[in-house]
C-alpha cells in the first residue's frame, strides 16, 4: 500500500494505464485538482518504484511521455477491482 497508497498515486497510475504514452500536460488535464508540485512528486515516486517509465524525446520543444512498466501493468486488475468496489460501495460512505 505504501507504493500506491497516497491520495494521488493510484489515480495517476490509472490514467497512465488507460492511455499509455501520456504526456504531463494530458495527465494534468485528466486530474485537474492536483497541483503541479504534487503531480511531479507522485510521478517521481512511481518512477522510483518502477511502476512507470519516463521517455524523453530529444527535440525542440522538449517532449516527455510516461508509460506503464510491466510491474505497473500488474496492478491494473487490482485498480479495476478497487474502482468497481468504490462505485458499488460509494453511496454507503458519508
Amino acid at each position: 500500500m505504501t507504493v500506491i497508497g497516497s491520495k494521488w498515486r493510484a489515480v495517476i497510475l490509472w490514467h497512465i494505464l488507460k492511455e499509455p504514452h501520456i504526456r504531463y500536460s494530458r495527465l494534468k488535464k485528466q486530474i485537474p485538482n492536483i497541483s503541479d508540485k504534487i503531480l511531479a512528486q507522485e510521478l517521481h515516486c512511481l518512477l522510483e518504484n518502477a511502476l512507470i517509465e519516463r521517455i524523453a524525446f530529444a527535440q525542440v520543444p522538449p517532449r516527455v511521455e510516461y508509460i506503464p512498466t510491466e510491474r505497473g501493468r500488474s496492478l491494473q486488475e487490482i485498480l479495476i477491482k478497487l474502482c468497481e468496489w468504490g462505485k458499488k460501495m460509494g453511496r454507503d460512505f458519508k
Side-chain angles (χ1 to χ4, degrees):
M1 283 307 292
T2 58
V3 176
I4 61 165
S6 79
K7 178 178 179 178
W8 295 107
R9 274 183 228 145
V11 174
I12 294 167
L13 184 57
W14 175 258
H15 285 284
I16 292 172
L17 287 165
K18 279 191 346 186
E19 193 175 332
H21 297 277
I22 193 167
R23 295 177 72 174
Y24 181 92
S25 59
R26 178 84 173 142
L27 271 172
K28 184 72 172 110
K29 286 178 188 170
Q30 296 286 336
I31 313 167
N33 295 332
I34 193 170
S35 70
D36 285 317
K37 177 184 174 187
I38 298 299
L39 180 55
Q41 286 175 348
E42 298 293 16
L43 285 169
H44 182 73
C45 188
L46 291 169
L47 285 163
E48 280 184 336
N49 286 294
L51 297 176
I52 63 172
E53 283 182 46
R54 180 182 186 269
I55 302 172
F57 296 89
Q59 65 184 50
V60 177
R63 189 175 104 208
V64 174
E65 292 180 348
Y66 296 94
I67 63 170
T69 62
E70 192 61 39
R71 188 176 186 182
R73 281 191 291 277
S74 73
L75 290 167
Q76 188 165 12
E77 287 301 315
I78 294 166
L79 293 175
I80 289 170
K81 293 290 183 192
L82 278 172
C83 184
E84 290 170 355
W85 178 83
K87 286 178 181 175
K88 188 169 157 184
M89 301 303 224
R91 56 189 165 267
D92 294 338
F93 295 114
K94 303 292 182 233

